[in-house]
Amino acid sequence: MSALNDTPVDTLSFEAARDELVKVVSELEQGSPTLEQSLALWERGEALAARCEEWLLGAKRRLEAARAAASDDSDEAAS
């Protein structure tokens, strides 16, 4: 059984991408029957890792924006 699925990586939520990445890593660690399958898993894993990073960077930007807005609000209230 292969951890690969047909869902486009760019449509996955963070949780879905993370969960599939865990499965891909597990399957790679167990060893795939063929080199071609191993390469396909590796490529999918790289894409999934990049998708997770996109989500995390987006979350970081949102937090930074919220902190900046909160700081601006407190600065205006102090004036």
Side-chain angles (χ1 to χ4, degrees), residues 25-68:
V25 169
S26 176
E27 192 163 336
L28 281 168
E29 289 175 343
Q30 292 175 12
S32 295
T34 68
L35 177 60
E36 191 61 38
Q37 288 173 332
S38 292
L39 289 172
L41 283 166
W42 180 268
E43 290 168 345
R44 180 75 176 184
E46 287 289 328
L48 291 164
R51 180 66 174 160
C52 288
E53 186 173 6
E54 287 175 24
W55 274 107
L56 292 172
L57 290 174
K60 181 179 177 183
R61 284 191 292 270
R62 288 175 62 188
L63 286 171
E64 289 170 349
R67 286 182 181 149

Side-chain angles (χ1 to χ4, degrees), residues 2-9 11-12 16 20 23-24 41 44 48:
S2 176
L4 290 176
N5 75 44
D6 296 335
T7 306
V9 172
T11 65
L12 294 174
E20 186 181 344
K23 291 175 188 175
V24 166
L41 283 166
R44 180 75 176 184
L48 291 164

